[in-house]
Structure formats: structure tokens, C-alpha cells
Amino acid sequence: MRSTTSPDDAIMIGESMTSDPAANAGRLVYRLLLAVDIEKYSVRGAREQFLAQTDLSQALETAALRTGLNRRLWEREVRGDGELSVLPESVDASQVISGFTRELGRAIGAVNLRQPQRPRLRVRLALHHGTLTPGPFGPAGDAPIVVSRLLDAKPVRTHLAQRQDLDLALVISGSLYQDVVRTGFCALDPERFRPLRIKVKGTSYQGYTYVPAGRARRAALIAQHNVPRQPGPHLPLTAEAKVLSLPRPDEIVTG
């Protein structure tokens, strides 16, 4: 994937700790991982694949900047249709789950609005925190496997396919939901998450998909409260009373 940072600034997984794999052997770290993937990437032509990569890279950069995250410090394993990133130890998981994901959705939505003639950019985003150790070809351990399995989970793909009003489908691991979202330290409503369980190669993985309120529901709320009412006896005959009920911040989606 093309990055908006220079080669000297980018930190690739396996290089950030030390370039000697033997020196990294047995060094276990606990980190937050992020994996992102472009929907229907393989059906695009070479030029559209390049443009989709560029758009996603810029959207990730924009979302990181808006939430105070420095992507130059991310340990990134770049893939053709996305990336797997290990975030710094100091990163606040609740900030990433709510703030970064919100800004990423907005950034992708802005891309699609600017370029309506292009294939729409839609992505899946998976988050997990766990243990790993740096390796010469990328991070080794359970954490990168878990976040990759959740990213590719069929229920997440189906969710994005069915919700055409969304540009971003978010899935988080079961442990991340229990440790961060359910505690109330995350701005996203825990009730908006739906559990999922998948089994891959004999191993079970549990996650939670975020299900924001749809545009139709928000439009219905506004329409319901925007219907003109008959003026009451205490109002002038030309006046109309209107009440507008806006969705909660966690119900706002872009796409």
C-alpha cells in the first residue's frame, strides 16, 4: 500500500524493535492491533486498486491526525488491500475504538462524496489487544491471528454487504469488548454491539460487530417530529410548533 509518509518515516513490522530476529526471540509484548481491508478489492482493475489503496492510506492518515495518533509510530504490515498495524504501547484503546473509527468513517465518506464516479470505497476494520512477538515476516503470536480472523469473518462481510448506508464495518474482539467497551470508558454504546462466533481450522474466535443506527431510522425520527402540527390556542394561527429529535452521537454514521 502506498503510504503518505516517506520511506524513512514508515516503521514496518519486524524492523521497529531491531533488525536482528534472534534479538527479538522470546520478547513478548502486549499491544493493540488494527487490521483493515477494502471490500471487493479483487474485482477492481489495476488502476482502481491503486486509487483505492491511495484513498484508504490517506483516510487512515486523516483519521489518525484528527484523533491525535501518529501513524509513523505504528508497526505496519502492508497488504495489497489493507494493512495490519501494531500500535504503540501508550495508545489509549478507548480512543481508538470510538474516536479513530468515527473519524475513519468520516474520512472514507468524504472520499466517496468527492469521487462519485469511482467505485465506492468501503472497508472492514478489526481491533484486538493481545500478546505478540516481532518476527522477520511480521508479528508472531495469537493476537495477529485473532484480529485477522475477525477481519475476514463471514458475519462481518455480510454485515457490510447488507448495510449499504455504511462505508465502514467495525468488529472488535471479545476481550476488547469486555475490557474496554462494556466498562463504559468507550464513547460507543455497548448495546450497539452484536456478538459473533466463528470457527476457523478448529479454533473458535469471538467478536462483536458494531451496529450503528441506519439512515432510514434517523430519517424516520426527523420526519416523525417534523410533521406540522395544528397551532394551539395560545399560538398565532400562522405559527407551527416543531420538535426535532436528533440521534445520539454514537448513532451517527457516515456513508
Side-chain angles (χ1 to χ4, degrees), residues 82 105 195 212 222 234 241:
I222 294 175
H234 59 287

Short mmCIF file of all heavy atoms in Angstrom, two decimals, residues 82 105 195 212 222 234 241:
data_model
loop_
_atom_site.label_atom_id
_atom_site.label_comp_id
_atom_site.label_asym_id
_atom_site.label_seq_id
_atom_site.Cartn_x
_atom_site.Cartn_y
_atom_site.Cartn_z
N GLY A 82 -5.07 -3.60 2.16
CA GLY A 82 -5.18 -3.04 3.50
C GLY A 82 -3.89 -3.16 4.27
O GLY A 82 -2.81 -3.22 3.70
N GLY A 105 -14.43 6.57 9.45
CA GLY A 105 -15.68 6.52 8.70
C GLY A 105 -15.98 7.83 8.00
O GLY A 105 -16.42 7.85 6.85
N PRO A 195 -22.81 -9.84 19.25
CA PRO A 195 -21.79 -10.88 19.34
C PRO A 195 -21.75 -11.76 18.09
O PRO A 195 -22.76 -11.96 17.41
CB PRO A 195 -22.22 -11.69 20.57
CG PRO A 195 -23.69 -11.48 20.65
CD PRO A 195 -23.95 -10.09 20.17
N PRO A 212 -24.43 0.47 14.06
CA PRO A 212 -24.98 1.82 14.27
C PRO A 212 -26.39 1.93 13.73
O PRO A 212 -26.83 1.11 12.92
CB PRO A 212 -24.00 2.71 13.49
CG PRO A 212 -23.47 1.81 12.41
CD PRO A 212 -23.41 0.43 13.00
N ILE A 222 -36.58 12.10 12.34
CA ILE A 222 -36.68 13.52 11.98
C ILE A 222 -38.03 13.81 11.32
O ILE A 222 -38.70 14.80 11.64
CB ILE A 222 -35.52 13.91 11.04
CG1 ILE A 222 -34.18 13.81 11.80
CG2 ILE A 222 -35.72 15.32 10.49
CD1 ILE A 222 -32.97 14.07 10.94
N HIS A 234 -52.89 29.03 22.23
CA HIS A 234 -52.03 30.07 22.77
C HIS A 234 -51.04 30.59 21.75
O HIS A 234 -50.22 31.44 22.06
CB HIS A 234 -51.27 29.52 23.97
CG HIS A 234 -50.42 28.33 23.64
ND1 HIS A 234 -50.96 27.09 23.39
CD2 HIS A 234 -49.08 28.20 23.51
CE1 HIS A 234 -49.99 26.23 23.12
NE2 HIS A 234 -48.84 26.87 23.17
N ALA A 241 -45.67 24.56 15.66
CA ALA A 241 -44.72 24.05 16.66
C ALA A 241 -44.06 22.81 16.11
O ALA A 241 -44.73 21.87 15.68
CB ALA A 241 -45.47 23.71 17.96
#
